[in-house]
Short mmCIF file of all heavy atoms in Angstrom, two decimals:
data_model
loop_
_atom_site.label_atom_id
_atom_site.label_comp_id
_atom_site.label_asym_id
_atom_site.label_seq_id
_atom_site.Cartn_x
_atom_site.Cartn_y
_atom_site.Cartn_z
N ALA A 29 -11.54 -10.61 -11.71
CA ALA A 29 -12.52 -10.39 -10.64
C ALA A 29 -13.95 -10.90 -11.06
O ALA A 29 -14.60 -11.32 -10.23
CB ALA A 29 -12.48 -8.85 -10.31
N GLY A 72 -13.98 -14.38 -0.01
CA GLY A 72 -14.03 -13.41 -1.05
C GLY A 72 -13.17 -13.69 -2.24
O GLY A 72 -13.11 -12.85 -3.18
N PHE A 100 -16.93 0.76 -25.03
CA PHE A 100 -16.51 -0.05 -26.13
C PHE A 100 -16.47 -1.56 -25.82
O PHE A 100 -16.11 -2.39 -26.62
CB PHE A 100 -15.13 0.40 -26.57
CG PHE A 100 -15.10 1.80 -27.03
CD1 PHE A 100 -14.53 2.70 -26.28
CD2 PHE A 100 -15.80 2.20 -28.14
CE1 PHE A 100 -14.48 4.10 -26.71
CE2 PHE A 100 -15.78 3.42 -28.61
CZ PHE A 100 -15.17 4.37 -27.98
N CYS A 101 -16.81 -1.98 -24.52
CA CYS A 101 -16.56 -3.28 -24.07
C CYS A 101 -17.81 -4.09 -24.39
O CYS A 101 -18.90 -3.55 -24.49
CB CYS A 101 -16.27 -3.36 -22.61
SG CYS A 101 -14.74 -2.46 -22.17
N ASP A 111 -22.06 -3.70 -37.51
CA ASP A 111 -22.42 -4.38 -38.72
C ASP A 111 -23.87 -4.06 -39.11
O ASP A 111 -24.17 -3.71 -40.35
CB ASP A 111 -22.21 -5.84 -38.65
CG ASP A 111 -20.70 -6.21 -38.62
OD1 ASP A 111 -19.93 -5.47 -39.13
OD2 ASP A 111 -20.39 -7.30 -38.06
N PRO A 134 -11.30 0.85 -29.55
CA PRO A 134 -10.56 -0.40 -29.09
C PRO A 134 -11.28 -1.66 -29.44
O PRO A 134 -12.43 -1.62 -29.74
CB PRO A 134 -10.48 -0.17 -27.67
CG PRO A 134 -11.62 0.74 -27.24
CD PRO A 134 -11.87 1.52 -28.51
N PRO A 139 -10.20 -5.14 -24.33
CA PRO A 139 -9.54 -3.88 -24.85
C PRO A 139 -8.45 -3.33 -24.14
O PRO A 139 -8.37 -3.61 -22.93
CB PRO A 139 -10.91 -2.89 -24.69
CG PRO A 139 -11.55 -3.54 -23.50
CD PRO A 139 -11.40 -5.00 -23.69
N ARG A 151 -8.78 -0.30 -9.43
CA ARG A 151 -9.92 -1.09 -9.39
C ARG A 151 -10.01 -1.73 -8.03
O ARG A 151 -9.03 -1.92 -7.30
CB ARG A 151 -9.90 -2.13 -10.50
CG ARG A 151 -9.76 -1.63 -11.96
CD ARG A 151 -11.04 -0.85 -12.41
NE ARG A 151 -12.12 -1.75 -12.53
CZ ARG A 151 -12.55 -2.31 -13.67
NH1 ARG A 151 -11.94 -2.10 -14.85
NH2 ARG A 151 -13.65 -3.12 -13.69
N GLY A 153 -11.87 -1.15 -4.97
CA GLY A 153 -12.27 -0.57 -3.67
C GLY A 153 -11.12 -0.73 -2.60
O GLY A 153 -10.13 -1.40 -2.83
N THR A 163 -18.59 0.54 -4.55
CA THR A 163 -17.18 0.64 -4.88
C THR A 163 -16.51 -0.56 -5.07
O THR A 163 -15.44 -0.64 -5.78
CB THR A 163 -16.49 1.48 -3.92
OG1 THR A 163 -16.44 0.89 -2.66
CG2 THR A 163 -16.90 2.92 -3.84
N TYR A 170 -11.91 3.71 -10.62
CA TYR A 170 -11.54 4.98 -9.97
C TYR A 170 -10.23 5.51 -10.60
O TYR A 170 -9.64 4.74 -11.48
CB TYR A 170 -11.37 4.77 -8.47
CG TYR A 170 -11.42 6.09 -7.79
CD1 TYR A 170 -12.60 6.84 -7.61
CD2 TYR A 170 -10.34 6.53 -7.04
CE1 TYR A 170 -12.66 7.92 -6.88
CE2 TYR A 170 -10.37 7.74 -6.32
CZ TYR A 170 -11.57 8.46 -6.27
OH TYR A 170 -11.64 9.63 -5.56
#
Side-chain angles (χ1 to χ4, degrees):
F100 300 109
C101 303
D111 288 334
R151 303 294 293 261
T163 60
Y170 201 66

